[in-house]
Amino acid sequence: MSEAIRGEDGRLRCPWGLSAPDYVEYHDTEWGRPVHGDVALYERISLEAFQSGLSWITILRRREGFRRAFDGFDPATVAAYDDADVTRLLADEGIIRNRAKVLATIANARALLELGGTTLDALVWSFAPDPSPAAPKSLTEVPAVTPESKALAKELKRHGFRFVGPTTAYALMQACGLVNDHLADCFAR
């Protein structure tokens, strides 16, 4: 089913938002809501990178483990990680233990600190489409990549960020409210 469906509480939701209790909470209170601040956006970029190739529920259920393992995603702290930290992270069962993604998260903290002249918040939000696209009526109308997500991914990579392709960039844009891809009939829109 690709159109909004009614949950047990009578509210219409995006179909994915009813597939698990964790998704209901995430869909209803977080996904598509504007996220600002370098730490918050760095966390989201990191989690989206870890999600690559996995289901979002896997990341969502481990988010507190990621926050603990990566010191609350404080960029200055993560940027200072060394080989011992990488070893610690690769042994941490509370996160996804993928060396390339762990190293990308550390590299991305360093890239954030080296932005110079701008903030991650300003950089990311400069790619919000204007005007916002029309509300999708079904999931089939929701793109995986847009010209804006391609441009955002290219700019992040130019600044040294890793694991930030156009699809990951669009997922970030959806999750952080740069676009509102809640379906037209979804109460959260």
Side-chain angles (χ1 to χ4, degrees):
M1 182 173 277
S2 65
E3 295 178 357
I5 56 176
R6 195 167 307 282
E8 291 179 10
D9 62 0
R11 291 176 160 179
L12 287 171
R13 286 183 178 83
C14 302
W16 66 266
L18 287 169
S19 61
D22 293 337
Y23 272 157
V24 173
E25 176 71 16
Y26 179 68
H27 170 274
D28 290 2
T29 64
E30 189 173 346
W31 190 76
R33 306 290 195 286
V35 173
H36 287 282
D38 284 4
V39 173
L41 288 167
Y42 168 62
E43 174 182 341
R44 299 296 170 52
I45 287 172
S46 300
L47 295 177
E48 292 294 348
F50 273 100
Q51 185 274 329
S52 182
L54 303 170
S55 72
W56 180 246
I57 196 79
T58 301
I59 303 306
L60 192 57
R61 289 179 175 160
R62 293 179 184 208
R63 184 159 54 173
E64 289 308 316
F66 278 107
R67 286 175 174 161
R68 178 189 42 73
F70 285 96
D71 291 296
F73 288 99
D74 175 69
T77 302
V78 177
Y81 282 2
D82 59 16
D83 289 342
D85 291 298
V86 172
T87 300
R88 171 185 59 81
L89 290 164
L90 292 175
D92 191 328
E93 294 181 7
I95 67 170
I96 304 302
R97 297 173 291 175
N98 177 299
R99 177 177 289 279
K101 293 176 182 181
V102 165
L103 293 174
T105 302
I106 297 167
N108 291 349
R110 293 172 182 158
L112 186 161
L113 295 179
E114 294 173 6
L115 282 176
T118 191
T119 63
L120 182 60
D121 188 288
L123 188 153
V124 168
W125 277 90
S126 72
F127 290 91
D130 184 33
S132 285
K137 293 182 176 151
S138 73
L139 293 179
T140 59
E141 295 178 18
V142 177
V145 172
T146 64
E148 294 87 0
S149 75
K150 289 177 183 176
L152 173 57
K154 183 177 180 179
E155 185 66 8
L156 287 168
K157 287 179 183 180
R158 188 178 76 77
H159 284 287
F161 285 79
R162 301 182 195 170
F163 268 92
V164 289
T167 302
T168 298
Y170 193 68
L172 174 74
M173 294 172 78
Q174 291 174 304
C176 295
L178 280 75
V179 295
N180 184 349
D181 277 344
H182 283 285
L183 300 182
D185 293 336
C186 177
F187 91 92
R189 186 161 185 89

